[in-house]
Amino acid sequence: MIAQLTKSERQLALIILLVLTICGLAMAIAGRQDPLGVHGAIVMLAGIAGIFGVIYVYYEPEPDEARLALYYDDPTKLAIILAMIWAVIGMFIGDWVAWQLVFPNLTFDAGWSSFGRIRPAHTSAVIFGFGGNGLIGTSLYVLQRTSRARLPDQISPWFVLLGYNLFCLLAATGYLMGVTQSKEYAEPEWYADLLLEIVWVVYFVIYMRTLARRKEPHIYVANWYYMAFILVVAILHTVNNLAMPVSFGHAKSYSAFSGVQDAMTQWWYGHNAVAFFLTSGFLGMMYYYLPVRAGRPIYSYRMSIISFWGITFMYMWVGSHHLHYTALPQWVQTLGMTFSLMLLIPSWGSAGNALLTLNGAWYKVRDDATLRFMMVAAVFYGLTTFEGSFMAIRSVNSLSHYTDWTVGHVHAGALGWVAMITFGSIYASVPWLWKRERMYSPALVEWHFWLAVAGLFTYVFAMWNSGIIQGLMWRTYNSSGTLSYSFIETVIAMKPYYVARAVGGFFFFAGAVIGLYNIVMTIRTAGQPADERAADRPVAQPAGVPALQPGE
Amino acid sequence: MEHEATVWFAKSFGLFYLIAMSVGVVVYAYWPKNKTSFDFAAQSILDPSVEDKPYEAKRWQ
Amino acid sequence: MGLFGLHYKLERKTMSLAIGIIIAASIGGLIEIVPLFTIHQTVEDAPDMRVYTPLEIAGRNIYIREGCYACHSQMIRTLRDEVERYGPYSLAVESKYDHPMLWGSKRTGPDIARLGGKYSDEWHVKHLINPRDVVPESVMPPYAYLTRAKARIDDLGLHLTALRKVGVPYTDEMIANASNDAYGQTSPDTPFAEGVTKRYGEATNVRAFDGQPGEPTEMDALVAYLQILGKLTDAAHKAKTAAAGE
């Protein structure tokens, strides 16, 4: 892959890696009494490893000019593999954390393995590691196909992908050492945030430069969603992470905001991370891969545009529904609730649009597990957004907030929507990217699908039950007008659901492991014999499948 | 900045902003002239005659 | 050059899309958040509110480090059952020195906004070493290693300086004596203890939280923090007036 770089790109790579190594060294020295030092060492090692990698191929011949007539897919390929690896890591930790609530001593008497430290490692690994790599990989793929233009250069996509993964690595290892800002889904400390900031600007520039050279004046709508994802995440990330580091030798920083302002800023961020990271970006994925895989154009292009502006505009207002009945002024709570309800319109616009696209192609959904992943994703997108609007109603929220219902809701979205659309898109792109006729084993795709569905339902039903039961128990009064249950009684009542949740999580994790195996085997099994092509696509018609180029 | 004033502004301006925004988006989506490019875009990702290559390699750089 | 003109036009379309997204997305947040930064004009202040001592800051940082906020909220909502279970509902002013706030979003364990003074230090230490020794059905992780780890107090002055930069009113004297005050708060019979009460008030807890005076452990720091939760001001207990301000 590095050999594809031109001489000047190799030199630029060396300079960037050298700067990275120096930064790592500086961090390691300044933070030698602090976890920052460990992170400095990690950064430095990453830089040195990169330098060796580039030097190893430095005197190889320069790549052929013919490459310029093709799309640049190497970063996408690596992003997909990394996404699957992070999925396996993140889901493993997730299931471990779930079992800790059943057997609290699964921490093995260590600090790094306690619930509070590995829980953010789970959330970051799945959201940023799995989801983020999936988004970066697919966005670069979709960007090039829909613009019919090659990426502007060969360095910036690597900078984005590898820099982003370095950020994920710093985040995950940081939590285990106790380095966290405590802001949910924005836990990484100031130096990791700065790294992400730079990476994100470059990501945006790639997008702008490629779009500027597109063939058609109209920008395909998937790119709108991807751009909203990139731009708004940049805004959210910048504002919510404003903080004062203790010193350049400390990982610790103090948030620029306090109390009620901090709460509002955090949940403005938190809910919009859901909106623009976990929704907008993945809708971009859906608006490309679902029509292509189904071989049918999107049902209503107009609706996709209306939904786009609806989501981009309205999501920004709804964060305060995380703070109902708190010290936040009531008018802000009401505003958040109202917009949350209105948000159902664009959300169902997108979900309906996806399902109506499949209308007339249900036989494909029946036969093709990859398309079925995308179908389930669209259904759960609709369900979760309905549930979300419902839970944003103040009186419902008084019951659901602080309980497992929220956890169930999040996982209905994360497993049912985000993971399903990502798996579907990955299964669609792997054969296209590596020029294979199909996945190594269509049967294993089926296995993954059914394990994922079983895990999803087990998990979500367990959390709905536990959440509503606990919420009701907290507010149950006995005949003498006092609270019926002590807190610990409500914890005891959760036990069966915690077990069920952990089992469901295991199914989902097992599916991801099978997926990774299947993808690795697809890559390693070159040139399947023609007569064994039991296509994993229902119809062998060329429509909708970007032309494969055998022999490349 | 006065608290009362900012709250008033948030409550009133927000409403008009929402309405204007919604109208603008619907008008754009249903503007007759835009229909061709929308239909073309919807079909473009499915076109079987399109090779999986950039449309004009020389334009690179 | 025609080609150049074409480029320019395409570029402009991409730019306007990007700007459109930024405008559509950012105004909502601004309209909603900006008024909150003027909120101090309406919310009654709490003149008796004190800042965290250096040891409590160290404890709070351990609370953050261990991710306690993932299971314990510090925000009692204005609902009858919550007030009866946990105490007076939380006021905005109570977390005005909290950088960041730790309101939390999930109660796998109970809310602890009013935990301070509810249990003895001894109970807390036992509970943190192994929660199931005190509450047999608890699902909380054990934190025995906190008793073995010395708290890092030599850099607390820097921490207080950083907090002052973001708006917490620490005095020069507090910053200069930060490390000594952290030591003094767990060593009641030493000269350092006097400075703590002088700077942070007579009501400050000065004692060996983990049972052993001298060099504070991480357990000392964490328990010192837990014992001050909800105790920085009385505002919530005489809340009728403050509630009207919302």
Side-chain angles (χ1 to χ4, degrees):
Chain A
M1 282 180 177
I2 307 171
Q4 280 293 311
L5 302 183
T6 62
K7 201 97 198 175
S8 62
E9 284 170 335
R10 288 174 204 172
Q11 286 161 355
L12 184 59
L14 280 178
I15 294 170
I16 294 170
L17 288 163
L18 197 64
V19 172
L20 184 74
T21 311
I22 293 168
C23 287
L25 182 66
M27 280 164 69
I29 292 170
R32 62 196 174 280
Q33 288 180 301
D34 197 82
L36 182 71
V38 180
H39 271 166
I42 291 177
V43 171
M44 198 167 72
L45 286 176
I48 292 172
I51 289 174
F52 272 104
V54 176
I55 288 179
Y56 189 72
V57 297
Y58 190 80
Y59 291 108
E60 301 259 309
E62 285 209 68
D64 196 347
E65 280 289 309
R67 75 185 189 289
L68 301 180
L70 297 170
Y71 295 127
Y72 190 45
D73 286 331
D74 287 352
T76 303
K77 289 179 178 175
L78 184 63
I80 283 177
I81 296 168
L82 286 169
M84 291 305 293
I85 291 172
W86 278 110
V88 168
I89 296 172
M91 290 170 196
F92 170 77
I93 302 176
D95 203 40
W96 180 13
V97 149
W99 283 111
Q100 280 194 356
L101 288 179
V102 184
F103 305 110
N105 285 327
L106 278 179
T107 61
F108 312 111
D109 198 27
W112 65 270
S113 59
S114 71
F115 184 97
R117 293 206 197 174
I118 60 175
R119 185 246 183 200
H122 159 63
T123 54
S124 287
V126 290
I127 296 174
F128 298 119
F130 169 53
N133 276 304
L135 285 171
I136 292 176
T138 58
S139 69
L140 297 180
Y141 183 93
V142 172
L143 173 66
Q144 296 183 87
R145 265 68 184 182
T146 52
S147 307
R148 299 211 52 217
R150 186 184 159 93
L151 293 178
D153 68 299
Q154 300 187 118
I155 281 287
S156 54
W158 288 116
F159 181 82
V160 170
L161 181 65
L162 299 176
Y164 180 77
N165 278 281
L166 181 60
F167 163 79
C168 292
L169 187 68
L170 292 180
T173 53
Y175 309 142
L176 302 184
M177 294 187 290
V179 176
T180 170
Q181 291 190 117
S182 86
K183 294 188 156 198
E184 282 183 77
Y185 319 114
E187 290 97 344
E189 274 291 357
W190 57 276
Y191 49 94
D193 291 336
L194 283 175
L195 169 66
L196 186 63
E197 194 81 42
I198 300 168
V199 164
W200 223 245
V201 171
V202 176
Y203 190 15
F204 178 65
V205 171
I206 293 179
Y207 236 84
M208 296 302 279
R209 287 177 68 197
T210 311
L211 280 177
R213 293 178 300 112
R214 72 190 179 280
K215 182 163 185 278
E216 300 299 334
H218 182 78
I219 303 172
Y220 184 70
V221 73
N223 290 319
W224 300 29
Y225 284 93
Y226 278 125
M227 269 176 70
F229 148 65
I230 298 169
L231 277 170
V232 183
V233 166
I235 299 173
L236 299 168
H237 175 78
T238 309
V239 175
N240 192 41
N241 285 305
L242 290 174
M244 177 58 64
V246 171
S247 81
F248 286 113
H250 283 78
K252 173 79 191 163
S253 68
Y254 288 98
S255 169
F257 311 110
S258 72
V260 65
Q261 288 95 346
D262 192 45
M264 187 61 225
T265 312
Q266 157 59 22
W267 288 112
W268 167 79
Y269 166 89
H271 203 81
N272 286 305
V274 174
F276 290 93
F277 205 100
L278 297 177
T279 302
S280 204
F282 292 92
L283 281 173
M285 222 184 249
M286 187 189 83
Y287 277 117
Y288 181 80
Y289 287 96
L290 187 131
V292 170
R293 187 73 183 186
R296 301 166 62 82
I298 194 77
Y299 172 75
S300 166
Y301 198 83
R302 280 175 175 154
M303 198 143 82
S304 70
I305 286 174
I306 296 175
S307 302
F308 172 78
W309 288 110
I311 285 170
T312 307
F313 175 68
M314 285 190 220
Y315 252 113
M316 277 291 166
W317 300 73
V318 305
S320 53
H321 70 221
H322 287 255
L323 302 166
H324 281 326
Y325 298 101
T326 65
L328 189 76
Q330 191 165 347
W331 70 270
V332 185
Q333 300 178 21
T334 310
L335 198 62
M337 168 176 130
T338 314
F339 271 88
S340 303
L341 290 171
M342 288 195 289
L343 195 54
L344 195 56
I345 301 166
S347 301
W348 275 28
S350 291
N353 211 350
L355 292 174
L356 288 168
T357 304
L358 294 174
N359 209 9
W362 291 110
Y363 66 98
K364 292 186 185 173
V365 177
R366 183 193 61 205
D367 296 339
D368 179 9
T370 303
L371 193 57
R372 222 179 303 130
F373 266 114
M374 300 184 199
M375 189 273 292
V376 171
V379 170
F380 264 84
Y381 179 61
L383 284 176
T384 311
T385 47
F386 174 76
E387 189 188 22
S389 295
F390 182 62
M391 290 168 81
I393 299 170
R394 261 166 72 90
S395 48
V396 179
N397 196 267
S398 74
L399 177 73
S400 73
H401 196 51
Y402 295 131
T403 73
D404 284 325
W405 190 355
T406 311
V407 181
H409 167 64
V410 169
H411 282 82
L415 307 179
W417 156 239
V418 171
M420 290 287 184
I421 192 71
T422 310
F423 287 139
S425 305
I426 287 179
Y427 281 132
S429 9
V430 164
W432 299 341
L433 282 166
W434 275 275
K435 316 291 182 206
R436 303 286 187 268
E437 192 62 24
R438 57 170 172 81
M439 288 298 296
Y440 165 71
S441 164
L444 286 180
V445 182
E446 286 286 348
W447 268 96
H448 182 186
F449 176 78
W450 289 110
L451 276 170
V453 169
L456 165 66
F457 277 93
T458 314
Y459 191 110
V460 172
F461 274 97
M463 290 294 94
W464 279 338
N465 276 294
S466 66
I468 293 172
I469 288 173
Q470 195 172 31
L472 290 173
M473 286 177 87
W474 285 342
R475 52 160 70 175
T476 302
Y477 284 86
N478 57 29
S479 52
S480 55
T482 53
L483 292 165
S484 286
Y485 301 102
S486 68
F487 192 90
I488 194 66
E489 284 174 306
T490 72
V491 175
I492 295 166
M494 296 300 103
K495 195 124 190 179
Y497 307 107
Y498 283 166
V499 175
R501 179 254 296 269
V503 171
F506 180 77
F507 286 157
F508 208 87
F509 161 69
V513 172
I514 290 176
L516 177 60
Y517 171 76
N518 203 358
I519 288 166
V520 170
M521 291 309 288
T522 309
I523 297 167
R524 292 183 52 177
T525 318
Q528 293 140 340
D531 50 356
E532 280 179 28
R533 284 174 194 162
D536 63 334
R537 291 189 304 279
V539 190
Q541 67 195 22
V545 184
L548 300 172
Q549 292 153 15
E552 275 195 15
Chain B
M1 271 185 292
E2 287 294 310
H3 184 63
E4 295 295 322
T6 50
V7 170
W8 172 83
F9 183 76
K11 288 177 178 176
S12 57
F13 176 76
L15 179 68
F16 293 116
Y17 179 55
L18 168 70
I19 294 170
M21 183 91 193
S22 312
V23 170
V25 168
V26 172
V27 166
Y28 171 73
Y30 282 91
W31 200 257
K33 219 180 133 201
N34 287 340
K35 189 174 178 351
T36 19
S37 66
F38 291 168
D39 288 346
F40 183 84
Q43 291 290 344
S44 67
I45 55 168
L46 298 169
D47 191 348
S49 67
V50 172
E51 274 189 296
D52 194 29
K53 285 178 182 172
Y55 74 104
E56 200 183 345
K58 280 175 204 146
R59 286 268 306 277
W60 194 82
Q61 278 178 341
Chain C
M1 264 173 60
L3 238 169
F4 184 79
L6 181 71
H7 266 274
Y8 175 72
K9 198 174 155 203
L10 298 182
E11 186 77 58
R12 199 174 51 182
K13 196 158 182 175
T14 322
M15 280 312 290
S16 37
L17 178 60
I19 292 166
I21 290 171
I22 291 173
I23 291 175
S26 54
I27 290 185
L30 281 176
I31 288 181
E32 208 171 347
I33 293 180
V34 165
L36 297 181
F37 284 89
T38 58
I39 202 169
H40 55 270
Q41 296 168 1
T42 60
V43 174
E44 192 175 324
D45 206 7
D48 63 333
M49 178 102 180
R50 80 153 167 88
V51 294
Y52 294 106
T53 66
L55 187 69
E56 289 156 10
I57 283 292
R60 193 169 194 273
N61 290 341
I62 293 165
Y63 182 94
I64 290 172
R65 184 185 80 190
E66 301 302 337
C68 306
Y69 58 86
C71 294
H72 294 283
S73 57
Q74 293 186 24
M75 173 45 63
I76 302 167
R77 295 180 292 172
T78 53
L79 298 168
R80 180 184 157 201
D81 61 295
E82 298 215 351
V83 172
E84 285 180 20
R85 189 182 294 278
Y86 302 119
Y89 58 81
S90 302
L91 303 180
V93 67
E94 287 182 278
S95 48
K96 75 169 175 179
Y97 295 143
D98 286 8
H99 294 263
M101 58 86 206
L102 295 170
W103 292 8
S105 62
K106 176 73 175 70
R107 285 179 186 153
T108 306
D111 186 279
I112 56 173
R114 311 239 170 270
L115 186 66
K118 201 170 169 186
Y119 302 99
S120 66
D121 295 340
E122 202 193 353
W123 185 92
H124 276 298
V125 172
K126 262 177 92 170
H127 182 247
L128 285 164
I129 289 175
N130 183 14
R132 277 154 294 287
D133 287 349
V134 190
V135 186
E137 297 288 348
S138 168
V139 294
M140 188 170 125
Y143 290 99
Y145 55 89
L146 296 179
T147 49
R148 303 189 289 265
K150 288 264 171 276
R152 187 173 173 197
I153 57 170
D154 63 304
D155 61 348
L156 280 170
L158 290 171
H159 285 257
L160 265 52
T161 312
L163 279 165
R164 182 158 77 175
K165 283 183 192 150
V166 290
V168 184
Y170 284 110
T171 62
D172 290 340
E173 205 193 341
M174 285 170 169
I175 288 170
N177 291 290
S179 302
N180 288 342
D181 285 350
Y183 181 84
Q185 200 175 347
T186 56
S187 317
D189 300 323
T190 63
F192 296 113
E194 273 170 46
V196 181
T197 44
K198 195 179 92 197
R199 279 181 281 275
Y200 297 91
E202 287 298 327
T204 310
N205 300 319
V206 178
R207 55 189 190 239
F209 295 91
D210 68 354
Q212 276 137 28
E215 286 288 304
T217 60
E218 294 195 333
M219 184 63 85
D220 277 313
L222 183 57
V223 174
Y225 171 63
L226 295 177
Q227 291 289 29
I228 201 68
L229 286 174
K231 296 268 174 190
L232 293 179
T233 167
D234 277 343
H237 294 270
K238 33 185 184 186
K240 288 278 185 286
T241 44
E246 285 184 47

